[in-house]
Amino acid sequence: GLWRPKTQSYKSSNDRPDMNFGIPHLDDGSVKLILTMVAAVQERDFIVMDVKGNLLAADRGDALMQFQMPHFRKVARVMVGEPTRDYKDYVQQQMLQEKQFKSDAEFEAMKLERIRQRQLEIRQRQVEKARRKAERVKQRLEEVAKKKELEGDAAEDATEKALEAANLEEEQDENVEEEKQQMEEDENEMPPKVELTEQEKRTWFPRIAAQADLSPMVLSQSFSKFALPEVEEGFDAVEYGWLQREESHQYLRRWNLERKVTTRVEEIQPSEWFKGRWSEWQKDLQAWHTRQLEFKDPSCQTIVAPVPTKAKSPAGVLMSKPKAKGIEFKPTEEGQPTEEPQEPQEAQEPQAATSSGPTFAKAEDDDPIRELEAELERRDFDVFGIENILDVGTGEPLFANFAFEDWALLSLRFELHLLVHAFRRDCYDSERSGMHPDHLAFYYNRYY
């Protein structure tokens, strides 16, 4: 025979197993092609066992082209849906035999282990018995030696008598016979009979082989094109073994929709729409980083009076403490800022704004009350009420205090947002409303 390594690649399946014989004509399919050509001229019955090829209309057409001789009658046998009772009984019988075989193997292994343990116990008892016998002989000899010292020549034959007495003292071990009898019973014990569970009885198509009929990659690329055969394709007859024609098409349709929910799109690629949006996001993100650095740089800080905007409510006005030290902004109850009482200021300080704009007041450097009020006002700030994130009212950008973690979360949120919209555009399948959470990492790596 031919030897083949047992290792299988991720592309291997029952439909397309890895050859790996090390023989070029076998590995590249040349021998299979020659056998197919020879079969096409033989007056014999053939069954085309090809899972993927029998479910794709184009592959079925290629297979029919090879059998154009007049002695061939091309019949498509459709077997989908719930099987017949005969098939179920056959499958259950095969499952029961396989389960019984595994149970018998486990039972034989356990029986051999029990016999080995009992033999070990008997051996240990024999060793212990011999040890106790040696101790009795030693004890008898010591008694004889003491007796000789006391009686002298009268105890010359006492040694031989002591040895004979020690040999005659045999311990009766009743457990030895019981153990031997138990071992014989274990050897004659029959393995238990197994039965199928309710879940196993409802299994119509058990997976016998270690690998699937189709590899996950091939299945995800092809299942949306699966279709049942029709007479118009070139068949002389199309026979439905389990479900009728309409029911078979409905069954395949439901199966297809279920797979679209849980199967990833292997051939999806980023579109030009995605690339354009992604490029724009990179530019905006870089500009915001630059704006944050400029705002935090002391040489670039300036106090800019805000341009009045139409605010929907007082909450829409910025409640923020400018970077200039000691400067504070406060609105009135009507939402219009007013001027706080100030001490005489130098000429270079900014002038107070009119009644339509905010005013600035200088506070004490070490006034904790004003610091607390400013912090509370910042917390009441309405993020969704601003119109320009680069200037929320005093020249301060919305992201002025962003740290590394904030930028990372912002980028991740936009990437996921863009990924979802790009998937719906690039999938070209209206029946795929979204991506399965288990495949998020795959699509993220494909796009980014």
Side-chain angles (χ1 to χ4, degrees), residues 135-151 155 158-159 162 165 169:
E135 291 179 353
R136 289 196 302 271
V137 171
K138 181 180 179 182
Q139 184 179 2
R140 291 282 185 174
L141 293 177
E142 290 177 353
E143 293 176 355
V144 171
K146 292 180 180 179
K147 194 173 182 180
K148 282 184 178 182
E149 294 178 357
L150 296 175
E151 299 179 0
T159 302
E169 292 181 0

Side-chain angles (χ1 to χ4, degrees), residues 164-288:
E164 292 178 359
N167 292 330
L168 291 175
E169 292 181 0
E170 295 290 340
E171 294 183 352
Q172 299 297 328
D173 193 351
E174 298 178 357
N175 295 331
V176 174
E177 296 297 332
E178 294 179 359
E179 290 290 343
K180 291 182 179 180
Q181 184 178 359
Q182 186 66 31
M183 289 175 57
E184 294 178 358
E185 293 178 358
D186 290 343
E187 292 178 356
N188 298 328
E189 184 180 359
M190 299 300 296
K193 296 296 182 180
V194 298
E195 295 181 357
L196 297 179
T197 62
E198 293 298 328
Q199 183 178 1
E200 291 173 339
K201 290 180 180 179
R202 292 192 296 268
T203 303
W204 302 334
F205 310 103
R207 176 177 291 184
I208 301 176
Q211 55 188 3
D213 293 335
L214 291 177
S215 64
M217 184 179 66
V218 174
L219 179 62
S220 63
Q221 292 176 348
S222 308
F223 78 92
S224 59
K225 304 174 185 177
F226 287 170
L228 299 180
E230 300 290 347
V231 177
E232 292 76 9
E233 298 179 10
F235 291 101
D236 296 321
V238 178
E239 301 176 357
Y240 292 86
W242 294 345
L243 298 179
Q244 297 303 316
R245 182 177 182 278
E246 294 299 329
E247 296 175 345
S248 298
H249 282 275
Q250 294 177 3
Y251 182 89
L252 181 60
R253 174 65 175 169
R254 291 194 301 269
W255 181 89
N256 199 309
L257 292 177
E258 292 174 358
R259 292 300 177 278
K260 286 186 177 182
V261 175
T262 58
T263 306
R264 66 191 189 188
V265 185
E266 296 284 350
E267 64 275 9
I268 194 171
Q269 294 294 334
S271 61
E272 294 298 328
W273 180 89
F274 169 80
K275 295 178 180 178
R277 298 299 187 277
W278 177 244
S279 178
E280 293 176 2
W281 165 253
Q282 294 291 337
K283 294 178 181 178
D284 291 341
L285 191 63
Q286 182 63 32
W288 295 344

Side-chain angles (χ1 to χ4, degrees), residues 425-437:
R425 288 174 171 268
D426 303 340
C427 184
Y428 302 108
D429 190 347
S430 59
E431 295 177 348
R432 293 181 184 265
S433 58
M435 62 182 68
H436 197 274

